[in-house]
Amino acid sequence: MAGESIGWKSALYLHDGTALVKLAGVVSITPPDPVLDEVEVTDLEAVNRYRDFIPTMRDSGVITAVLNYVGGSATDTLLRAAKIAATDRAWEIVYSDDDGTALRKISGTGWVKRYSEPEITLDGVKQNNLEICVRGASTEAAAT
């Protein structure tokens, strides 16, 4: 199949209070995966003993990312401050083509739920885990 690509040159941005800032050292990004919750409405007359459900509220999802840790860097400082502030910030994920050309982006708002301390090992790269809880609907557009 033609058109597959790797994540090279894709990016994650977070607002620092002035502008969207590209986070440095990002190793992987998992975009939010909104889901629709459900509630059971099965009654005693359920056809063929099958449970029945109806949709309820949407969950906007969570962005997860792994970053190479550089203590005291602009990215580290921003993410630590965002976690402490616990306030909504704009975010953006840019998807790139296999040649690094930005193709599309998704954006929205959310708050930093988790920015982990890096694991320290003898022969591994120190990395942080980041989670951003998305608020409301995300927007998709062509990358500019």
Side-chain angles (χ1 to χ4, degrees):
M1 187 171 172
E4 297 89 348
S5 63
I6 60 174
W8 182 61
K9 292 290 188 176
S10 295
L12 175 59
Y13 295 79
L14 187 66
H15 207 278
D16 69 355
T18 304
L20 281 171
V21 174
K22 183 179 180 182
L23 300 181
V26 176
V27 174
S28 67
I29 306 166
T30 302
D33 184 17
V35 295
L36 188 57
D37 286 334
E38 62 190 32
V39 66
E40 185 175 350
V41 294
T42 308
D43 61 29
L44 296 175
E45 299 294 320
V47 177
N48 294 325
R49 297 172 53 164
Y50 281 97
R51 295 184 183 276
D52 194 15
F53 300 87
I54 59 171
T56 61
M57 304 297 289
R58 298 183 196 296
D59 179 336
S60 301
V62 176
I63 298 167
T64 60
V66 175
L67 295 88
N68 288 330
Y69 172 71
V70 179
S73 67
T75 292
D76 182 54
T77 302
L78 169 60
L79 293 175
R80 287 182 188 284
K83 180 181 174 184
I84 290 167
T87 56
D88 285 349
R89 293 171 182 257
W91 57 264
E92 184 173 281
I93 297 172
V94 176
Y95 291 83
S96 295
D97 198 353
D98 60 352
D99 65 358
T101 303
L103 292 177
R104 69 181 182 90
K105 64 182 178 180
I106 58 172
S107 57
T109 60
W111 48 276
V112 174
K113 176 181 180 177
R114 179 176 184 227
Y115 181 58
S116 71
E117 289 296 327
E119 179 181 8
I120 301 168
T121 64
L122 286 175
D123 54 0
V125 174
K126 291 180 280 194
Q127 295 181 323
N128 303 93
N129 294 297
L130 172 66
E131 291 182 17
I132 300 172
C133 286
V134 176
R135 302 265 315 225
S138 300
T139 303
E140 185 173 338
T144 54

